[in-house]
Amino acid sequence: AAARRAEELQALAATHPGIRPVALDITDPAAIDHARDQITDQTSGNGLDVVINAAGILILGPVEAVSDQRTRAQFEVNLFGTLAVTRAFLPPMRDRGHGRIVNVAGIMGRFALPGSGIYAASKFALEAASDAMRIELAPFGVRIVLVEPGVIATALYARAAAALPDDQALGPYRAT
């Protein structure tokens, strides 16, 4: 299991002895390379059979009010990081002729709601990339699975709401 928060990984591994924790920030290419090398060593060069791309962040706010910096951060995790992890672990799957990549997009990859346009855009993009990879990788025996859960009660929403800027850009929207 890989995650950015080492303490949560350790807790998971403590309750599930079969889990081997791997620290991974999917926005850091060196961390991705390190995780791939670590896993390659632990699997005697075989790599993984399944990769589940479930990392994600949620940035809320009207599209007009979300800065370019926050928009880039949204895409960095929800799209670019996911694709980078996929690229890192895909070649051995393709070479073996089997494997599975599971991308967690969410229902917001199908439609956008007010205040979540940037988040939805990142998930729409992940859906499109997944659709293309599904066709591209089929001849190599690698399956792409797209999971689209609905709203799930997690800390993701509380963190996103707490990160909303209190600036003039949101003013016109707060009344609605």
Side-chain angles (χ1 to χ4, degrees), residues 54-143:
I57 62 170
L58 170 63
I59 294 182
L60 294 174
V63 173
E64 170 191 13
V66 178
S67 70
D68 288 346
Q69 179 183 6
R70 294 186 75 210
T71 299
R72 284 184 183 92
Q74 181 74 88
F75 276 82
E76 191 63 41
V77 174
N78 292 4
L79 179 65
F80 302 133
T82 296
L83 295 178
V85 168
T86 298
R87 280 189 217 97
F89 291 97
L90 179 62
M93 291 181 190
R94 193 181 54 245
D95 293 345
R96 284 191 310 270
H98 67 85
R100 187 165 298 183
I101 308 285
V102 179
N103 291 330
V104 180
I107 196 67
M108 296 301 287
R110 297 252 177 211
F111 61 88
L113 295 173
S116 65
I118 299 301
Y119 175 77
S122 72
K123 294 301 186 172
F124 270 68
L126 181 57
E127 294 236 2
S130 297
D131 287 346
M133 287 189 298
R134 185 178 301 111
I135 297 165
E136 294 164 355
L137 295 170
F140 300 103
V142 178
R143 297 192 55 199

Side-chain angles (χ1 to χ4, degrees), residues 22-33:
V22 176
L24 176 59
D25 176 347
I26 69 167
T27 66
D28 179 355
I32 295 170
D33 290 344

Side-chain angles (χ1 to χ4, degrees), residues 2-11 22-25 56-57 155 159:
R4 191 170 34 102
R5 293 183 187 89
E7 63 281 355
E8 291 180 17
L9 268 176
Q10 295 305 327
V22 176
L24 176 59
D25 176 347
I57 62 170
R159 283 194 298 266

